mmCIF file of all heavy atoms in Angstrom:
data_model
loop_
_atom_site.group_PDB
_atom_site.id
_atom_site.type_symbol
_atom_site.label_atom_id
_atom_site.label_comp_id
_atom_site.label_asym_id
_atom_site.label_seq_id
_atom_site.Cartn_x
_atom_site.Cartn_y
_atom_site.Cartn_z
ATOM 1 N N LYS A 1 6.253 -9.713 -5.565
ATOM 2 C CA LYS A 1 6.392 -9.301 -6.957
ATOM 3 C C LYS A 1 5.487 -8.113 -7.221
ATOM 4 O O LYS A 1 4.623 -7.776 -6.419
ATOM 5 C CB LYS A 1 6.066 -10.456 -7.906
ATOM 6 C CG LYS A 1 4.655 -10.996 -7.780
ATOM 7 C CD LYS A 1 4.448 -12.162 -8.724
ATOM 8 C CE LYS A 1 3.012 -12.699 -8.610
ATOM 9 N NZ LYS A 1 2.783 -13.835 -9.546
ATOM 10 N N GLY A 2 5.700 -7.481 -8.368
ATOM 11 C CA GLY A 2 4.935 -6.286 -8.690
ATOM 12 C C GLY A 2 5.652 -5.029 -8.212
ATOM 13 O O GLY A 2 6.795 -5.068 -7.767
ATOM 14 N N SER A 3 4.954 -3.907 -8.284
ATOM 15 C CA SER A 3 5.529 -2.599 -7.980
ATOM 16 C C SER A 3 6.141 -2.552 -6.575
ATOM 17 O O SER A 3 5.444 -2.752 -5.580
ATOM 18 C CB SER A 3 4.460 -1.513 -8.095
ATOM 19 O OG SER A 3 4.928 -0.307 -7.574
ATOM 20 N N ALA A 4 7.441 -2.271 -6.528
ATOM 21 C CA ALA A 4 8.122 -2.167 -5.237
ATOM 22 C C ALA A 4 7.640 -0.948 -4.466
ATOM 23 O O ALA A 4 7.429 -0.994 -3.249
ATOM 24 C CB ALA A 4 9.631 -2.104 -5.455
ATOM 25 N N ALA A 5 7.434 0.173 -5.162
ATOM 26 C CA ALA A 5 6.983 1.394 -4.497
ATOM 27 C C ALA A 5 5.625 1.203 -3.859
ATOM 28 O O ALA A 5 5.396 1.606 -2.719
ATOM 29 C CB ALA A 5 6.950 2.541 -5.507
ATOM 30 N N GLU A 6 4.692 0.580 -4.580
ATOM 31 C CA GLU A 6 3.361 0.324 -4.014
ATOM 32 C C GLU A 6 3.440 -0.583 -2.785
ATOM 33 O O GLU A 6 2.731 -0.377 -1.809
ATOM 34 C CB GLU A 6 2.452 -0.302 -5.074
ATOM 35 C CG GLU A 6 1.923 0.677 -6.093
ATOM 36 C CD GLU A 6 0.885 0.044 -7.002
ATOM 37 O OE1 GLU A 6 0.514 -1.130 -6.754
ATOM 38 O OE2 GLU A 6 0.443 0.707 -7.957
ATOM 39 N N ALA A 7 4.297 -1.594 -2.866
ATOM 40 C CA ALA A 7 4.426 -2.517 -1.747
ATOM 41 C C ALA A 7 4.963 -1.805 -0.508
ATOM 42 O O ALA A 7 4.451 -1.995 0.605
ATOM 43 C CB ALA A 7 5.342 -3.681 -2.140
ATOM 44 N N ILE A 8 5.979 -0.978 -0.684
ATOM 45 C CA ILE A 8 6.552 -0.259 0.443
ATOM 46 C C ILE A 8 5.544 0.722 1.033
ATOM 47 O O ILE A 8 5.358 0.797 2.238
ATOM 48 C CB ILE A 8 7.832 0.484 -0.006
ATOM 49 C CG1 ILE A 8 8.925 -0.507 -0.395
ATOM 50 C CG2 ILE A 8 8.340 1.395 1.131
ATOM 51 C CD1 ILE A 8 10.102 0.136 -1.112
ATOM 52 N N LEU A 9 4.863 1.483 0.154
ATOM 53 C CA LEU A 9 3.875 2.450 0.623
ATOM 54 C C LEU A 9 2.741 1.778 1.367
ATOM 55 O O LEU A 9 2.210 2.312 2.346
ATOM 56 C CB LEU A 9 3.338 3.271 -0.546
ATOM 57 C CG LEU A 9 4.323 4.236 -1.198
ATOM 58 C CD1 LEU A 9 3.717 4.886 -2.436
ATOM 59 C CD2 LEU A 9 4.765 5.303 -0.201
ATOM 60 N N ALA A 10 2.361 0.572 0.921
ATOM 61 C CA ALA A 10 1.304 -0.168 1.614
ATOM 62 C C ALA A 10 1.789 -0.585 2.996
ATOM 63 O O ALA A 10 1.081 -0.435 3.998
ATOM 64 C CB ALA A 10 0.917 -1.390 0.797
ATOM 65 N N SER A 11 3.023 -1.085 3.070
ATOM 66 C CA SER A 11 3.532 -1.596 4.344
ATOM 67 C C SER A 11 3.746 -0.517 5.379
ATOM 68 O O SER A 11 3.698 -0.785 6.578
ATOM 69 C CB SER A 11 4.853 -2.337 4.096
ATOM 70 O OG SER A 11 5.255 -3.047 5.244
ATOM 71 N N VAL A 12 3.991 0.739 4.939
ATOM 72 C CA VAL A 12 4.211 1.832 5.898
ATOM 73 C C VAL A 12 2.957 2.651 6.142
ATOM 74 O O VAL A 12 3.007 3.647 6.885
ATOM 75 C CB VAL A 12 5.348 2.768 5.408
ATOM 76 C CG1 VAL A 12 6.631 2.004 5.172
ATOM 77 C CG2 VAL A 12 4.944 3.532 4.141
ATOM 78 N N ALA A 13 1.817 2.245 5.573
ATOM 79 C CA ALA A 13 0.576 3.043 5.676
ATOM 80 C C ALA A 13 -0.056 2.864 7.059
ATOM 81 O O ALA A 13 -1.013 2.114 7.237
ATOM 82 C CB ALA A 13 -0.381 2.643 4.571
ATOM 83 N N ILE A 14 0.481 3.588 8.025
ATOM 84 C CA ILE A 14 0.024 3.495 9.418
ATOM 85 C C ILE A 14 -1.326 4.215 9.551
ATOM 86 O O ILE A 14 -1.411 5.419 9.294
ATOM 87 C CB ILE A 14 1.034 4.165 10.367
ATOM 88 C CG1 ILE A 14 2.427 3.608 10.155
ATOM 89 C CG2 ILE A 14 0.592 4.008 11.817
ATOM 90 C CD1 ILE A 14 3.516 4.459 10.786
ATOM 91 N N PRO A 15 -2.389 3.512 9.957
ATOM 92 C CA PRO A 15 -3.642 4.207 10.195
ATOM 93 C C PRO A 15 -3.527 5.023 11.494
ATOM 94 O O PRO A 15 -2.898 4.559 12.444
ATOM 95 C CB PRO A 15 -4.658 3.080 10.364
ATOM 96 C CG PRO A 15 -3.955 1.837 9.895
ATOM 97 C CD PRO A 15 -2.499 2.067 10.094
ATOM 98 N N PRO A 16 -4.131 6.203 11.587
ATOM 99 C CA PRO A 16 -4.828 6.950 10.535
ATOM 100 C C PRO A 16 -3.932 7.961 9.819
ATOM 101 O O PRO A 16 -4.451 8.863 9.144
ATOM 102 C CB PRO A 16 -5.895 7.676 11.336
ATOM 103 C CG PRO A 16 -5.190 8.033 12.625
ATOM 104 C CD PRO A 16 -4.254 6.884 12.902
ATOM 105 N N ALA A 17 -2.606 7.806 9.965
ATOM 106 C CA ALA A 17 -1.719 8.779 9.320
ATOM 107 C C ALA A 17 -1.808 8.716 7.807
ATOM 108 O O ALA A 17 -1.876 9.744 7.137
ATOM 109 C CB ALA A 17 -0.285 8.528 9.767
ATOM 110 N N PHE A 18 -1.838 7.486 7.238
ATOM 111 C CA PHE A 18 -1.861 7.305 5.805
ATOM 112 C C PHE A 18 -3.077 6.534 5.337
ATOM 113 O O PHE A 18 -3.578 5.655 6.064
ATOM 114 C CB PHE A 18 -0.609 6.552 5.325
ATOM 115 C CG PHE A 18 0.684 7.263 5.591
ATOM 116 C CD1 PHE A 18 1.528 6.845 6.603
ATOM 117 C CD2 PHE A 18 1.063 8.351 4.820
ATOM 118 C CE1 PHE A 18 2.721 7.495 6.843
ATOM 119 C CE2 PHE A 18 2.258 9.011 5.052
ATOM 120 C CZ PHE A 18 3.084 8.579 6.071
ATOM 121 N N ALA A 19 -3.521 6.830 4.139
ATOM 122 C CA ALA A 19 -4.618 6.082 3.531
ATOM 123 C C ALA A 19 -4.125 4.703 3.097
ATOM 124 O O ALA A 19 -2.961 4.545 2.735
ATOM 125 C CB ALA A 19 -5.151 6.831 2.309
ATOM 126 N N PRO A 20 -4.978 3.676 3.144
ATOM 127 C CA PRO A 20 -4.584 2.370 2.623
ATOM 128 C C PRO A 20 -4.234 2.458 1.136
ATOM 129 O O PRO A 20 -4.722 3.364 0.428
ATOM 130 C CB PRO A 20 -5.832 1.517 2.840
ATOM 131 C CG PRO A 20 -6.647 2.229 3.856
ATOM 132 C CD PRO A 20 -6.348 3.687 3.674
ATOM 133 N N VAL A 21 -3.402 1.567 0.679
ATOM 134 C CA VAL A 21 -3.009 1.499 -0.723
ATOM 135 C C VAL A 21 -3.837 0.416 -1.414
ATOM 136 O O VAL A 21 -3.873 -0.725 -0.950
ATOM 137 C CB VAL A 21 -1.503 1.174 -0.866
ATOM 138 C CG1 VAL A 21 -1.140 0.955 -2.324
ATOM 139 C CG2 VAL A 21 -0.671 2.298 -0.255
ATOM 140 N N LYS A 22 -4.512 0.789 -2.497
ATOM 141 C CA LYS A 22 -5.301 -0.188 -3.225
ATOM 142 C C LYS A 22 -4.403 -0.933 -4.199
ATOM 143 O O LYS A 22 -3.727 -0.342 -5.028
ATOM 144 C CB LYS A 22 -6.448 0.489 -3.973
ATOM 145 C CG LYS A 22 -7.420 -0.527 -4.604
ATOM 146 C CD LYS A 22 -8.601 0.148 -5.264
ATOM 147 C CE LYS A 22 -9.569 -0.891 -5.838
ATOM 148 N NZ LYS A 22 -10.716 -0.245 -6.512
ATOM 149 N N ARG A 23 -4.391 -2.233 -4.077
ATOM 150 C CA ARG A 23 -3.578 -3.073 -4.959
ATOM 151 C C ARG A 23 -4.470 -4.222 -5.413
ATOM 152 O O ARG A 23 -4.868 -5.059 -4.626
ATOM 153 C CB ARG A 23 -2.359 -3.596 -4.228
ATOM 154 C CG ARG A 23 -1.420 -4.417 -5.106
ATOM 155 C CD ARG A 23 -0.046 -4.487 -4.502
ATOM 156 N NE ARG A 23 0.815 -5.426 -5.166
ATOM 157 C CZ ARG A 23 2.101 -5.256 -5.359
ATOM 158 N NH1 ARG A 23 2.693 -4.147 -4.953
ATOM 159 N NH2 ARG A 23 2.837 -6.179 -5.944
ATOM 160 N N GLU A 24 -4.775 -4.223 -6.706
ATOM 161 C CA GLU A 24 -5.766 -5.145 -7.267
ATOM 162 C C GLU A 24 -7.078 -4.954 -6.497
ATOM 163 O O GLU A 24 -7.610 -3.870 -6.476
ATOM 164 C CB GLU A 24 -5.246 -6.584 -7.218
ATOM 165 C CG GLU A 24 -3.983 -6.778 -8.084
ATOM 166 C CD GLU A 24 -3.407 -8.169 -7.996
ATOM 167 O OE1 GLU A 24 -3.870 -8.989 -7.175
ATOM 168 O OE2 GLU A 24 -2.455 -8.437 -8.757
ATOM 169 N N ARG A 25 -7.588 -5.967 -5.824
ATOM 170 C CA ARG A 25 -8.854 -5.815 -5.113
ATOM 171 C C ARG A 25 -8.679 -5.627 -3.615
ATOM 172 O O ARG A 25 -9.643 -5.647 -2.850
ATOM 173 C CB ARG A 25 -9.748 -7.038 -5.366
ATOM 174 C CG ARG A 25 -10.157 -7.215 -6.818
ATOM 175 C CD ARG A 25 -11.106 -8.362 -6.990
ATOM 176 N NE ARG A 25 -11.539 -8.518 -8.383
ATOM 177 C CZ ARG A 25 -12.403 -9.439 -8.801
ATOM 178 N NH1 ARG A 25 -12.915 -10.294 -7.923
ATOM 179 N NH2 ARG A 25 -12.748 -9.498 -10.081
#
């Protein structure tokens, strides 16, 4: 649940290519 865009961006955030996505804490 919650923002679909944030969830997708978090799941594809391959280190070190992408920065982690902050979601709540």
Side-chain angles (χ1 to χ4, degrees):
K1 60 182 181 179
S3 170
E6 283 187 6
I8 295 168
L9 291 174
S11 190
V12 303
I14 307 165
F18 297 106
V21 174
K22 188 176 182 181
R23 184 160 170 144
E24 297 177 353
R25 296 184 178 181

